[in-house]
């Protein structure tokens, strides 16, 4: 039973997918040739790098320190329960030994498949395994040039498109998806990225479901992996024939939980540590500990999952800044995980500066802004049986909601307010959590 979604009162999810809303927190990994450029995974697009020039990254790709067991250990220690790796990103480079192109890891100086060891390592650490697969492909010779392609401003772009056939490209893609979903055991998530049917540029149309043959593609995916959760960027029709498995807001915290046709939908927000998905050496906008933890809390409080990204270096390692960020999660979740795993939105209204999550009769108050001595929660005064900090299980007192006016803080008689008494000094926890155990 998908407890979190039940709390939010909605969606009937099939049993094979129920793990998702329980697990709440996953690792996204963007790894490819762009790690060598080290200035964003869209570098080929941004700098309009022609394939012949981009080839230098392929010729120098050698992540000699790649050890997926270490990635997996770090993910588990960070409290992450599943993982999604870019099997192929927009640049078209494939991390596995695919039969359908030479543009793959086995043909680089590294010379080995990266995907099998990844799958094995993460499974061994108990994480569910997923793939990201880019619909876009800036390397494939049959992929028509469009407004986001690196060759979009080439004087002969329209001419070059005469020999490119998107049907042939779609066939390639379907073949690769079949390969990915048959050669690696059970795959829990597939993340297709992305469609842009309306983005016309200099007479070159964008791409969407007709190009990807999305209806056939999703049919193939469902046939090969009946329990897989499929990301929603295939531009599938919203006519009800293709129920949405997973909404995927990116790089922002939704104000309200996403819905589809007014109904709740399973969703996952994805974020970066620093603004770039691929390794970016000189990017400086790294989120601080409070932001990292509060993104997770905000998400679960709204009923969503968080997929947090790491962009490994071209040596195949996690950069120190990423390791620190992962440790921030690990440390916090080690003591506060109860408010996240298996938890979801609450029926109660959280006061300003706080967020609630709930699991059965346990209500979790996340104090994102540390108050002075008291926090007042309307409507809960007579409903709480016991209260404690989650990180150290130390008791928290509250004022008697039925007492006469408390001259210190002016609680009115009988207003049902829950007024918790907190220490003046904030405990040494990024965001402290109070666990409220409700009566019967
Ligand atoms: C965007 C970007 C891409 C990234 C993805 C992750 O769609 O194109 O680089 O992989 O977001 O959500």
């Amino acid at each position: 039973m998908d407890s979190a979604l039940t709390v939010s009162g909605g969606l009937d999810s099939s049993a094979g997918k129920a793990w998702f809303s329980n697990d709440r927190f996953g690792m996204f990994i963007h790894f490819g040739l762009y790690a060598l450029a080290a200035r964003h995974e869209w570098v080929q697009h941004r700098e309009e790098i022609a394939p012949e020039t981009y080839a230098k990254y392929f010729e120098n790709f050698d992540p000699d320190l790649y050890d997926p067991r270490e990635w997996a250990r770090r993910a588990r220690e960070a409290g992450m329960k599943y993982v999604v790796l870019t099997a192929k990103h927009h640049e078209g480079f494939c991390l596995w030994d695919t039969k359908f192109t030479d543009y793959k890891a086995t043909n680089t100086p590294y010379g080995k498949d990266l995907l099998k060891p990844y799958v094995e390592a993460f499974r061994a650490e108990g994480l569910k395994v997923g793939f990201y697969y880019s619909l876009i492909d800036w390397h494939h010779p049959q992929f028509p040039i469009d407004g986001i392609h690196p060759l979009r401003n080439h004087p002969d772009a329209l001419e070059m498109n005469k020999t490119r056939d998107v049907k042939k490209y779609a066939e390639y893609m379907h073949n690769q998806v079949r390969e990915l979903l048959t050669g690696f055991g059970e795959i829990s998530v597939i993340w297709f990225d992305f469609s842009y049917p309306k983005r016309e540029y200099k007479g070159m149309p964008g791409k969407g479901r007709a190009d990807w043959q999305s209806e056939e593609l999703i049919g193939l995916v469902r046939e090969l992996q009946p329990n897989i959760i499929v990301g929603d960027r295939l531009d599938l029709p919203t006519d009800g024939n293709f129920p949405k498995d997973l909404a995927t807001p990116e790089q922002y915290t939704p104000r309200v939980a996403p819905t589809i046709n007014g109904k709740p939908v399973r969703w996952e927000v994805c974020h970066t540590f620093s603004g770039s998905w691929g390794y970016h050496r000189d990017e400086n906008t790294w989120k601080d500990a409070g932001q990292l933890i509060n993104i997770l809390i905000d998400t679960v409080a709204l009923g969503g999952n968080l997929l947090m990204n790491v962009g490994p270096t071209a040596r195949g390692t996690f950069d120190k800044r990423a390791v620190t960020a992962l440790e921030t999660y690990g440390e916090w979740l080690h003591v506060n995980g109860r408010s996240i795993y298996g938890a979801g939105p609450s029926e109660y209204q959280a006061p300003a500066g706080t967020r609630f999550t709930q699991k059965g009769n346990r209500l979790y108050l996340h104090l994102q802004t540390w108050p002075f001595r008291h926090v007042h929660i309307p409507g809960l005064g007579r409903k709480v049986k016991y209260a404690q900090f989650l990180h150290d299980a130390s008791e928290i007192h509250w004022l008697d909601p039925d007492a006469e006016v408390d001259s210190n803080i002016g609680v009115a008689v009988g207003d049902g307010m829950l007024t918790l008494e907190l220490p003046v000094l904030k405990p040494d926890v990024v965001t402290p959590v109070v666990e409220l155990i409700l009566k019967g």
Side-chain angles (χ1 to χ4, degrees), residues 27 70-71 73-75 77-78 80 273 279 286 292 309-313 316-331:
M27 177 180 274
E70 176 163 347
W71 291 10
R73 177 180 60 77
R74 289 198 184 280
E77 286 175 0
M80 292 157 160
F273 287 147
Y279 176 63
W286 287 71
L292 294 173
N309 182 73
V310 181
T313 72
T317 56
F318 287 180
D319 157 271
K320 262 200 183 140
R321 297 166 291 186
V323 167
T324 305
L326 289 170
E327 286 170 355
T328 300
Y329 279 115
E331 208 176 297

Side-chain angles (χ1 to χ4, degrees), residues 28 30 41-42 89-90 132 191 193-194 233 250 270 277:
F28 216 172
H30 276 66
E41 79 286 353
W42 276 61
H89 202 262
H90 307 336
Y132 166 110
W191 229 96
D193 198 31
F194 64 79
R233 299 187 180 183
E250 168 181 335
C270 53
W277 301 90

Side-chain angles (χ1 to χ4, degrees), residues 35-60:
L36 283 82
R39 50 186 195 277
H40 205 280
E41 79 286 353
W42 276 61
V43 60
Q44 193 182 359
H45 155 95
R46 288 182 172 181
E47 300 177 15
E48 301 184 29
I49 307 174
E52 312 82 79
T53 312
Y54 202 74
K56 66 186 168 191
Y57 303 128
F58 181 79
E59 286 155 15
N60 287 291

